Every structure is written in structure tokens, then in C-alpha cells.
């Protein structure tokens, strides 16, 4: 920081002094009473004390409990788990990797059926999608948002008196359009945006009625949803997430299930819709579907291999990182790896790993009172991560799960 005219120190290192009324009015900076390592405007000291990260734990908000949604390594298992060193796929012998591929094929054939394609569009984005000057990247995200909102409409999630919770909201594009729907179609509804980061250029800032949207800065791992100040007049709560990466999906599912089990909540957790992605970022500790995997002979070590193999589905050839000694060129020009798999076969195995992990999540949600299934919500040329997880509370009409 630079030293101001007539000053001896910069604003960061100015000695602490009791601010006078004139200093407060002029915007003078003082050291924070909670942590003198940083300074704050004297005029905004009270506001700063309410949000300063140096507050004592007793003063922190009640909806943040460290690691409340993390799970544990040994949950859903009768045997305690021992964590060994993680291995790279290249370090695993070819015969072990081949045996795991065979097990993956067996589980997939037995447990994963065909995934329907259902890609409705919500009318709220019809005009936006018709904008001519938008490039392909912008249209890609708008198309996904429209499809997700169309699915929410299809499953009757867009109702009056609803709290919509977007997990991993980012810049809030989905929440923005949800808020627009509330403005034009729904009464007594609200959107909560959950994200652990503070983003610039947030889309939800463009909503004029600030009572509709509310941001909560929190890690999903630490979020106690039932402790949030939700409107007492709302009757249902719906979770949504657009590309909720890896373990964040598991944290959000566990968060919703804990909310469903809690007493004294005015809004009923009726379901959720998550666009899935980044399975390579799943972690054994937080993964909610451990019981299904263990029942099918997939322990922690095999799980760690699977979350590496999922990258085969979406990362292309990776040719610049391949070792020529690990591959051979067949007579027809198709390259095989050390397990005898072609690139197309590796992509297929990667997709199967993804779907097995998703089916394990489905089983977890079924155990906790939801009907759940997977759905292709957009074409794969829009995004390779084009599968969504739909969960609807079992007490609701089964006709809501039937696709047109």
C-alpha cells in the first residue's frame, strides 16, 4: 500500500488510535479490535465486527458446524477402514487393473439400466436462447439452465411457498432464472444460494426484489440447513445444483437428508435435481454410496482406482502424457494400452465407472425416503457431463416420476 500525503505510514500499518468523530466521517482506517493485523474503516467498524473472521467461535453463525456433512471412512461398513497410500493407475499391475475392469463391467450390467433422455426447456429462457449475438459458450450454459428448470417444472418442483436451495451456486445463473420464475409465476417463494467462495459479477445481483434471493457463504461440508433462517410460511424445500463437482454432490445429498430427518422445520425437503460432474473429485470419506459399493465388492482401494478411471470418459486421448512403451499399434491402426484396451473401450469403462458411482448415490437416497433416477438432460455435444440425478420424496405421487 502507498503512504498518503502527509502520512508517515500506509493504511495497513498506521498505529492504532481511538477514532474521533471527524475521523469517522472522513473515512480514516483503524486497526480491527479483534485482530490488529488488519485495518478497517472507522465509519464501518460495527458492520465489520459482525462479519470479521477473527470472531470467537461462540459468535459464529449457528448454521456452520465444521465437517457436519463429511461422513467418515468407516460409515456404512461393519469393518473399520484403514487408509493406505493412494496409487496411481500406472503403478497398479496390469492383471489387477484388468480384473477391476471385469468387475466394473459385471456391476454395470447387473445394476445400471438404460438412462432415458428427457430434455425439456423452460419458457423463461426462450427469448434469451434466441439472442443472436450470443456465442456457443454462453448458449451452452443457458441451454443447460433451461433444461434443468424444465425438469424442475416437469417434476412439479416449481410450486408456491417453496424455498429453492442452489448448492455450489457460483455466480448464480440458475438462481437468477429461478428468481425470475418466482417474480412472474410463484408466490411466497425464495432462492438461497450456497457457495463457499465470494464471486464477482454475480448474476443474482440483477434481481431487483432482494427479498427473493439470499446468499449464504458456507462450505456445504459445514452447512446445517435446518439452522438457516428460512421463511416460516414456506411449505417445501427443493435442492438444485448445476455441475456440483465430485464430493460436493455427496455433501449436498447428506445435507438434504439430515434436513429431512430434523424436527421443527416448516419446509419439507421434497426433492432435488443435480447435474452431475467431476466424478474424479469424489472422495471415499464423503461418498454417500459406500454401502452399495461394498456390497458389490468395491472397497476403498478399488474406489480410488475408479475415480481415476472416470477421466477416461471425458479427457480425450491424453496423448502428450502417454508413454509409447505402454501402447502398441495394431495392424488396423487402433492403439491399445497395457491392459489391451483401445481408446474407445477406455472411454466406455470411464462412463461405466461414473454411472456405478451415481447408482450408489441413488441407493443412498432410496434408503432415505426418496425415489431417485438418472436422466440425460441435454445432448452430449452440449456437454459430456450431461447426466442429472433426480430425487423425489416417496410420499409424493408416483406420477411425478413418470416421464412423458
Amino acid at each position: 500500500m502507498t503512504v498518503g500525503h502527509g502520512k508517515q505510514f500506509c493504511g495497513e500499518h498506521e498505529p492504532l488510535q481511538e477514532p474521533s468523530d471527524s475521523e469517522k466521517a472522513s473515512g480514516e482506517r483503524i486497526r480491527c479490535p479483534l485482530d490488529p493485523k488488519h485495518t478497517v474503516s472507522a465509519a464501518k467498524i460495527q458492520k465489520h465486527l459482525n462479519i470479521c473472521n477473527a470472531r470467537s467461535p461462540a459468535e459464529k453463525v449457528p448454521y456452520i458446524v465444521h465437517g457436519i456433512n463429511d461422513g467418515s471412512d468407516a460409515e456404512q461398513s461393519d469393518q473399520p477402514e484403514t487408509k493406505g497410500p493412494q496409487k496411481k493407475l500406472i503403478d497398479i499391475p496390469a492383471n489387477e487393473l484388468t480384473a477391476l475392469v471385469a468387475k466394473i463391467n459385471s456391476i454395470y450390467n447387473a445394476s445400471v439400466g438404460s438412462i432415458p433422455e428427457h430434455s425439456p426447456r423452460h419458457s423463461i429462457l426462450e427469448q434469451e436462447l434466441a439472442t443472436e449475438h450470443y456465442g456457443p459458450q454462453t448458449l451452452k450454459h443457458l441451454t443447460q439452465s433451461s433444461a434443468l428448470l424444465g425438469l424442475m417444472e416437469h417434476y412439479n418442483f416449481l410450486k408456491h411457498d417453496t424455498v429453492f436451495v442452489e448448492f455450489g451456486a457460483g455466480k448464480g445463473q440458475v438462481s437468477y432464472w429461478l428468481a425470475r420464475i418466482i417474480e412472474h409465476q410463484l408466490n411466497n417463494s425464495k432462492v438461497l444460494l450456497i457457495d463457499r467462495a465470494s464471486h464477482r459479477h454475480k448474476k443474482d445481483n440483477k434481481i431487483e426484489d432482494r427479498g427473493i434471493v439470499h446468499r449464504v457463504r458456507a462450505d456445504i461440508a459445514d452447512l446445517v440447513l435446518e439452522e438457516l433462517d428460512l421463511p416460516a410460511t414456506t411449505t417445501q424445500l427443493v435442492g438444485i445444483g448445476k455441475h456440483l463437482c465430485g464430493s460436493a454432490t455427496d455433501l449436498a445429498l447428506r445435507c438434504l437428508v439430515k434436513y429431512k430427518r430434523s424436527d421443527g422445520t416448516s419446509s419439507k425437503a421434497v426433492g432435488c435435481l443435480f447435474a452431475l460432474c467431476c466424478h474424479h473429485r469424489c472422495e471415499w470419506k464423503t461418498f454417500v454410496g459406500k454401502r452399495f459399493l461394498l456390497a458389490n465388492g468395491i472397497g476403498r482401494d478399488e474406489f480410488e482406482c475408479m475415480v481415476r478411471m472416470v477421466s477416461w470418459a471425458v479427457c480425450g486421448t491424453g496423448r502428450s502424457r502417454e508413454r509409447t512403451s505402454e501402447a502398441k499399434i495394431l495392424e488396423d491402426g487402433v492403439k491399445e494400452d497395457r491392459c489391451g484396451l483401445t481408446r474407445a473401450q477406455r472411454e466406455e469403462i470411464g462412463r461405466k465407472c461414473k454411472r456405478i458411482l451415481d447408482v450408489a448415490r441413488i441407493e443412498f437416497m432410496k434408503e432415505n425416503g426418496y425415489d431417485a433416477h438418472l436422466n440425460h438432460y441435454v445432448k452430449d455435444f452440449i456437454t459430456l457431463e450431461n447426466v442429472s440425478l433426480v430425487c423425489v420424496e416417496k410420499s409424493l405421487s408416483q406420477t411425478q416420476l413418470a416421464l412423458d
Side-chain angles (χ1 to χ4, degrees):
M1 298 179 68
T2 58
V3 179
H5 180 70
K7 300 283 187 178
Q8 185 178 0
F9 300 96
C10 69
E12 184 68 25
H13 298 95
E14 185 75 26
L16 178 63
Q17 296 178 356
E18 187 66 27
S20 63
D21 293 339
S22 60
E23 287 176 329
K24 290 182 179 180
S26 64
E28 286 287 329
R29 297 185 67 83
I30 62 172
R31 293 187 183 276
C32 174
L34 300 178
D35 181 5
K37 294 179 181 178
H38 65 274
T39 62
V40 62
S41 170
K44 299 179 180 179
I45 183 64
Q46 288 302 321
K47 179 181 178 181
H48 173 78
L49 292 177
N50 292 330
I51 61 175
C52 181
N53 290 331
R55 289 172 297 160
S56 65
E59 298 177 20
K60 292 188 182 294
V61 290
Y63 55 81
I64 300 294
V65 177
H66 182 69
I68 187 70
N69 299 316
D70 271 347
S72 66
D73 290 334
E75 69 174 350
Q76 304 179 18
S77 173
D78 296 332
Q79 301 295 327
E81 282 284 336
T82 57
K83 184 177 181 180
Q86 295 184 358
K87 295 182 180 180
K88 298 179 180 179
L89 290 180
I90 192 64
D91 297 328
I92 300 175
N95 62 326
E96 292 184 16
L97 207 55
T98 301
L100 178 58
V101 168
K103 184 183 291 187
I104 289 168
N105 284 326
S106 176
I107 297 173
Y108 182 89
N109 293 335
S111 303
V112 183
S114 61
I115 300 175
E117 180 179 326
H118 189 53
S119 183
R121 299 289 186 270
H122 197 283
S123 58
I124 196 71
L125 281 103
E126 183 176 353
Q127 184 175 353
E128 194 77 4
L129 286 168
T131 304
E132 295 182 356
H133 66 268
Y134 282 163
Q137 193 71 10
T138 299
L139 289 174
K140 178 181 79 169
H141 290 292
L142 289 173
T143 300
Q144 292 176 68
S145 297
S146 180
L148 291 174
L149 294 175
L151 282 173
M152 292 187 73
E153 185 175 46
H154 175 80
Y155 290 106
N156 205 25
F157 286 155
L158 301 180
K159 298 177 67 175
H160 302 298
D161 308 317
T162 301
V163 176
F164 300 97
V165 181
E166 185 182 4
F167 293 92
K171 294 186 177 181
Q173 185 184 91
V174 175
S175 288
Y176 169 80
W177 293 108
L178 257 177
R180 291 284 302 276
I181 293 172
I182 292 173
E183 285 181 325
H184 294 90
Q185 302 175 15
L186 304 179
N187 298 323
N188 191 36
S189 297
K190 187 171 184 175
V191 183
L192 291 180
L193 298 88
I194 310 296
D195 203 285
R196 65 182 180 182
S198 179
H199 297 272
R200 301 178 66 187
H201 311 300
K202 294 183 281 288
K203 185 79 171 177
D204 50 291
N205 284 342
K206 297 183 179 181
I207 297 297
E208 294 183 3
D209 187 351
R210 303 309 299 166
I212 294 178
V213 294
H214 178 64
R215 271 192 177 263
V216 176
R217 187 173 179 181
D219 193 316
I220 304 172
D222 307 328
L223 179 65
V224 184
L225 198 56
E226 57 270 24
E227 291 293 338
L228 286 172
D229 187 17
L230 302 178
T233 55
T234 55
T235 58
Q236 69 174 24
L237 181 144
V238 176
I240 185 171
K242 177 175 175 283
H243 294 318
L244 200 56
C245 291
S247 59
T249 296
D250 300 296
L251 296 172
L253 292 175
R254 190 178 279 110
C255 181
L256 284 171
V257 167
K258 288 186 176 182
Y259 176 86
K260 182 176 184 290
R261 293 173 179 171
S262 63
D263 298 324
T265 55
S266 60
S267 301
K268 188 177 184 181
V270 297
C272 63
L273 172 62
F274 293 142
L276 305 168
C277 81
C278 301
H279 294 73
H280 64 282
R281 299 190 66 179
C282 291
E283 299 175 0
W284 181 255
K285 178 181 178 181
T286 59
F287 190 67
V288 296
K290 288 193 277 287
R291 182 176 287 113
F292 173 84
L293 295 183
L294 291 168
N296 285 276
I298 300 293
R300 184 189 187 111
D301 291 340
E302 292 88 352
F303 173 85
E304 298 290 353
C305 291
M306 287 179 65
V307 297
R308 286 161 175 75
M309 293 163 70
V310 296
S311 62
W312 293 351
V314 293
C315 289
T317 63
R319 185 163 297 168
S320 62
R321 298 185 297 272
E322 290 179 354
R323 300 179 183 178
T324 56
S325 60
E326 297 171 355
K328 62 180 180 179
I329 304 298
L330 301 179
E331 292 181 359
D332 59 358
V334 178
K335 180 183 288 187
E336 288 186 345
D337 65 6
R338 61 195 177 102
C339 296
L341 298 173
T342 65
R343 174 187 170 187
Q345 289 172 327
R346 289 196 299 273
E347 288 182 357
E348 184 64 21
I349 292 298
R351 282 190 289 270
K352 288 181 178 180
C353 289
K354 282 175 171 286
R355 301 294 79 85
I356 290 172
L357 296 176
D358 293 336
V359 167
R361 289 164 166 166
I362 286 175
E363 293 303 314
F364 170 80
M365 295 304 286
K366 287 181 177 179
E367 292 169 3
N368 287 281
Y370 291 91
D371 285 318
H373 70 277
L374 301 175
N375 179 71
H376 285 115
Y377 73 102
V378 290
K379 298 284 189 180
D380 59 4
F381 68 83
I382 295 176
T383 174
L384 293 176
E385 302 281 20
N386 65 335
V387 174
S388 62
L389 171 64
V390 184
C391 303
V392 182
E393 193 185 31
K394 289 182 179 179
S395 62
L396 300 180
S397 172
Q398 291 298 310
T399 57
Q400 294 184 24
L401 282 174
L403 296 177
D404 291 337

